[in-house]
Amino acid sequence: MISSLTSAKVIICVGSGGVGKTTVASAIAFQAAVEGKKVIVLTVDPARRLKTTMGLSDDQDMVQVQHPSFKGELWASVIDNKKTFDDFVRRAAGKAGGNVERILKNKLYIQLSTTLSGSQEFTAVEKLYSVYESQKFDLIVLDTPPAQHAMDFLVAPQKLSDLFNDNIAKWFREPGTKRVGILTRIVQTGTKQVMKALENLTGSEFISELAEFFRDVEKWQTRLEERTSAVHRLLVGEQSHFVLVTSFDESKLQEAEHFSKEIRKGGYRLSAVIINRAYPSGIGTGLDLQFSAKGGTDLERTYMKTQDYYRQRDRIFEKFFIRMGHEGQILRLPELESDVSDLAGVEEMAQELKT
């Protein structure tokens, strides 16, 4: 296990898409299970890569992964966004939620829980918090949804909660002419096209659907706000550690620097930065081999160009390390010879994390 993560109860892997974040999260969880912990790795995983890697079938959302090297247990789960959101609504509404099934069938709710910006992030942290509350695992590793910005994940639950702010929701709960008057004024102030688009999205009875939705969710609005606050306390707590995953090219490294500053600014603990695919597998972090052939052969020239390329990358890494030295542990992982698509590949990457 990465030394800076040994005390973690929750590990959140963040970073932009395409950097191998799901594989890194799986490898961290794998190594923790090797060391004797009962661990679960959670992912939204739009590409479903974790299902293939961990052997999840289409009818499973959680499975125990078996491997002879495990001293502990490894569980894997692909988060079902709609199911997680529905389960939250049922719990939040509780005994007072007589209209739960009507909420779940509401066209606006279906859009909110499946396609609205922030819904994936909300269900990711909701699942994380539910598993944490269960106290069934020594360690939870969360592979966050791909984002253009690391803070998109961190602020999305609050943005979603703000949709149900009483100052907004009460507009649609007011009976009779008062509600109609406010909506009429909204249309008259230049949002007619927006409202029309929303009507097309949810059907011709959009306004009534909207009013019904906000009346029904009133009973669990407070619960949503409480849950959002509890999740925030968990994420900024000392038991939660963030791992920023990036890959080599200068734009990705610059992006990682910006992400790290935003994570720190938000009060979160950034414990490790992992640069994935930093160098070819099997040659170490630099090309220090001596070429024995003499003369200007094509092979020698190709080798020298390759060596110069990786030496230049080393110089870029050194500058990055200097700028990021205070941002937790920094590790470079090799570019493996093939894409990780099974447990053997995860195990290979886990071996690289033993530092």
Side-chain angles (χ1 to χ4, degrees):
M1 173 66 76
I2 300 170
S3 58
S4 59
L5 301 176
T6 53
S7 65
K9 300 295 184 184
V10 174
I11 296 174
I12 304 102
C13 294
V14 296
S16 55
V19 296
K21 187 158 46 67
T22 299
T23 306
V24 169
S26 302
I28 290 172
F30 185 101
Q31 186 57 33
V34 169
E35 294 172 4
K37 292 185 178 181
K38 183 178 181 181
V39 57
I40 184 170
V41 56
L42 306 169
T43 182
V44 174
D45 195 29
R48 297 294 185 187
R49 181 178 296 174
L50 188 67
K51 276 198 168 186
T52 302
T53 304
M54 296 298 191
L56 284 156
S57 65
D58 289 338
D59 60 349
Q60 294 173 299
D61 62 356
M62 181 182 292
V63 66
Q64 184 176 0
V65 181
Q66 303 292 340
H67 195 276
S69 65
F70 289 161
K71 296 178 183 177
E73 295 179 13
L74 174 58
W75 293 77
S77 177
V78 176
I79 300 168
D80 184 323
N81 294 323
K82 183 68 165 62
K83 181 178 183 299
T84 302
F85 218 126
D86 291 353
D87 288 347
F88 166 77
V89 171
R90 289 190 176 96
R91 289 196 308 273
K95 294 180 180 179
N99 294 323
V100 168
E101 295 306 318
R102 189 168 71 182
I103 293 174
L104 300 183
K105 293 176 183 177
N106 185 285
K107 294 176 184 176
L108 184 65
Y109 170 78
I110 293 171
Q111 292 294 327
L112 171 71
S113 59
T114 55
T115 62
L116 189 70
S117 175
S119 62
Q120 271 195 340
E121 288 82 0
F122 172 78
T123 53
V125 295
E126 167 59 24
K127 184 70 173 182
L128 169 67
Y129 195 77
S130 296
V131 173
Y132 180 77
E133 277 189 317
S134 75
Q135 299 184 335
K136 292 180 179 179
F137 297 92
D138 303 319
L139 175 65
I140 306 166
V141 181
L142 175 65
D143 168 37
T144 59
Q148 292 299 313
H149 195 296
M151 293 306 291
D152 291 346
F153 165 74
L154 296 171
V155 302
Q158 183 58 51
K159 285 184 177 179
L160 199 62
S161 177
D162 289 345
L163 283 177
F164 307 105
N165 181 287
D166 194 56
N167 292 328
I168 298 173
K170 69 181 181 183
W171 291 359
F172 303 100
R173 292 199 300 263
E174 295 291 341
T177 57
K178 187 174 182 180
R179 184 177 73 243
V180 174
I182 290 172
L183 292 173
T184 301
R185 286 197 294 275
I186 292 175
V187 173
Q188 290 173 347
T189 56
T191 59
K192 186 174 182 179
Q193 292 303 315
V194 175
M195 299 295 283
K196 182 64 177 175
L198 288 170
E199 280 193 11
N200 291 337
L201 185 68
T202 61
S204 59
E205 297 182 350
F206 165 69
I207 298 301
S208 61
E209 288 267 359
L210 187 64
E212 180 182 88
F213 173 71
F214 276 105
R215 284 195 299 271
D216 285 342
V217 302
E218 182 177 11
K219 293 181 176 65
W220 55 270
Q221 175 185 324
T222 300
R223 177 63 174 159
L224 177 61
E225 294 170 353
E226 291 173 349
R227 194 72 163 184
T228 301
S229 297
V231 165
H232 178 73
R233 288 194 298 271
L234 172 63
L235 295 184
V236 298
E238 62 181 21
Q239 72 274 35
S240 298
H241 294 244
F242 281 73
V243 172
L244 176 57
V245 184
T246 185
S247 62
F248 179 81
D249 70 45
E250 290 192 70
S251 63
K252 289 289 187 184
L253 295 178
Q254 289 172 3
E255 183 182 72
E257 288 184 57
H258 181 64
F259 280 11
S260 69
K261 291 175 183 177
E262 292 296 315
I263 292 169
R264 293 284 193 186
K265 190 186 299 181
Y268 306 96
R269 182 190 304 269
L270 180 59
S271 297
V273 178
I274 294 178
I275 307 171
N276 195 23
R277 310 183 188 114
Y279 57 91
S281 178
I283 67 166
T285 56
L287 289 179
D288 298 323
L289 303 175
Q290 296 299 314
F291 198 85
S292 59
K294 296 187 178 181
T297 66
D298 288 343
L299 180 59
E300 183 177 17
R301 282 192 293 269
T302 299
Y303 175 81
M304 295 305 294
K305 286 181 181 179
T306 303
Q307 192 175 50
D308 287 344
Y309 171 73
Y310 281 101
R311 282 175 177 165
Q312 175 62 23
R313 285 178 67 147
D314 277 344
R315 287 192 288 271
I316 293 172
F317 284 137
E318 287 171 9
K319 293 177 182 178
F320 178 76
F321 292 161
I322 291 171
R323 294 193 299 269
M324 295 282 289
H326 62 288
E327 296 290 0
Q329 198 170 353
I330 302 176
L331 296 90
R332 282 188 279 179
L333 298 182
E335 183 170 7
L336 302 181
E337 294 180 1
S338 59
D339 288 339
V340 176
S341 59
D342 57 20
L343 207 55
V346 174
E347 181 181 17
E348 184 180 358
M349 181 167 282
Q351 291 292 321
E352 300 290 341
L353 292 172
K354 292 198 303 183
T355 178

